[in-house]
Amino acid sequence: MLEADVAALRRALDEERGRVTVALAKLAVDESPYFPPDDHLSRPLVLRSQQGEFLGVTDLAGQALSLFGFLRLVEGVGQTVARNSRVVASCWEACLGGWCLTLSISGPLVRKCYVLETRALRTPNGNKVTQLTEMRVDGDPVPQEFVVQMFRQLRDSLQED
């Protein structure tokens, strides 16, 4: 009985965190030089393969994942307690032609700093997207093929949950 109450409270807390995250994002979107515009966060997130193809990133339901949705996944909103034992801090800054997102993730088993460079663009098919152009982990650049593989693994792990 007590375990069910604790689980219900944790779900309610996760839902409230999600509402606060959305509310804060909407407040900060008022053309702030410290936060990307809403369309940058809400457009489909894509990667570019070595062959130059645009690869869409999808969520659990197979829908296009936006940068905002990706950030919610990383922050663990609505996830299990084990994933919530980590702390995620994020910071945006305008960078050449786009926005950089710095994510510091620390927990019992991990302490990493990720920098994701993104830019808005229109694909040759005319689709408006947000491209993840570069990723660095603890200051070291990550080859684009590894980033593509990481997102495939993320998608696969979401489908297993």
Side-chain angles (χ1 to χ4, degrees):
M1 182 70 166
L2 184 59
E3 289 177 8
D5 290 342
V6 170
L9 286 171
R10 286 185 176 141
R11 281 192 302 275
L13 179 60
D14 284 343
E15 290 172 12
E16 186 61 24
R17 282 182 180 151
R19 283 192 290 275
V20 168
T21 300
V22 170
L24 289 174
K26 287 182 178 180
L27 283 174
V29 169
D30 295 335
E31 299 303 319
S32 168
Y34 305 106
F35 201 84
D38 188 44
D39 62 339
H40 190 80
L41 295 171
S42 61
R43 283 191 299 258
L45 182 61
V46 298
L47 307 169
R48 198 126 190 214
S49 72
Q50 285 183 326
Q51 295 76 27
E53 299 169 313
F54 288 100
L55 306 172
V57 179
T58 57
D59 64 9
L60 179 60
Q63 300 297 313
L65 183 67
S66 66
L67 198 50
F68 181 72
F70 170 73
L71 192 52
R72 285 180 50 96
L73 284 174
V74 170
E75 290 174 342
V77 175
Q79 299 292 319
T80 62
V81 175
R83 290 183 185 162
N84 284 336
S85 63
R86 66 182 178 202
V87 175
V88 178
S90 59
C91 176
W92 289 99
E93 69 178 310
C95 59
L96 203 53
W99 287 89
C100 289
L101 171 62
T102 301
L103 293 166
S104 292
I105 302 175
S106 59
L109 302 175
V110 67
R111 178 167 274 138
K112 294 279 186 188
C113 180
Y114 299 87
V115 177
L116 303 141
E117 290 187 22
T118 63
R119 68 181 175 130
L121 61 89
R122 190 180 296 259
T123 66
N125 292 338
N127 299 319
K128 293 180 180 179
V129 297
T130 298
Q131 180 187 3
L132 175 58
T133 57
E134 185 177 338
M135 180 174 165
R136 292 185 299 279
V137 177
D138 294 333
D140 296 323
V142 177
Q144 191 70 12
E145 284 305 307
F146 288 123
V147 176
V148 169
Q149 185 61 32
M150 179 191 74
F151 275 94
R152 284 185 182 139
Q153 289 174 350
L154 175 65
R155 180 193 61 216
D156 293 346
S157 72
L158 287 172
Q159 291 173 348
E160 291 172 4
D161 286 347

